[in-house]
Amino acid sequence: MPIIRASSGIITQINVFTVPDGGQQPLIDLLTESAAFASSVPGWMSASIHRSLDGTRVVNYAQSESLEASQRIIDRLRLEGFLERNKRLGQASPGLYEVVCTLER
């Protein structure tokens, strides 16, 4: 389960993909496969995959225990060819983030 808490040290990778018409499900399938593979890498915590209601975007929200773990996961995904396969299915805009503020009701 994702943890969204300020100053936790958790690193979140948010990757917004823009996909062609009809491209959401193939990318969702690949991201699901990628997450299952990455889950065995030490430091991996969670992955949540979202699809936009207008059919144009897919968002991958993945968390790891540290920046080092994030890099280890990215390196393993690259080595196994997942990142190259992602590029064929959508235009990616990745970034690594840390939570600085949360508000709840």
Side-chain angles (χ1 to χ4, degrees), residues 58-71:
V58 175
V59 176
N60 184 18
Y61 184 97
Q63 291 187 310
S64 57
E65 293 174 350
S66 66
L67 184 57
E68 294 78 17
S70 291
Q71 195 57 56

Side-chain angles (χ1 to χ4, degrees), residues 2 8 17 19 21 23 32-33 35 40 48-49 52 56 59 68 70 77 79:
S8 66
F17 294 87
V19 297
D21 189 38
T32 301
E33 181 185 348
S40 66
S48 302
I49 301 166
S52 67
T56 64
V59 176
E68 294 78 17
S70 291
L77 290 169
L79 184 65

Side-chain angles (χ1 to χ4, degrees), residues 8-26:
S8 66
I10 294 170
I11 299 298
T12 303
Q13 180 186 31
I14 301 173
N15 199 344
V16 179
F17 294 87
T18 302
V19 297
D21 189 38
Q24 274 186 324
Q25 195 58 51

Side-chain angles (χ1 to χ4, degrees), residues 19-90:
V19 297
D21 189 38
Q24 274 186 324
Q25 195 58 51
L27 181 57
I28 289 167
D29 293 344
L30 179 58
L31 292 174
T32 301
E33 181 185 348
S34 299
F37 172 81
S39 69
S40 66
V41 178
W44 181 91
M45 294 178 62
S46 70
S48 302
I49 301 166
H50 309 258
R51 70 170 150 229
S52 67
L53 298 180
D54 66 4
T56 64
R57 289 177 305 283
V58 175
V59 176
N60 184 18
Y61 184 97
Q63 291 187 310
S64 57
E65 293 174 350
S66 66
L67 184 57
E68 294 78 17
S70 291
Q71 195 57 56
R72 197 168 40 246
I73 293 162
I74 292 166
D75 291 345
R76 288 279 305 277
L77 290 169
R78 181 177 292 112
L79 184 65
E80 292 296 317
F82 283 105
L83 302 186
E84 189 60 37
R85 290 169 61 197
N86 287 343
K87 288 180 187 177
R88 292 185 218 134
L89 297 176

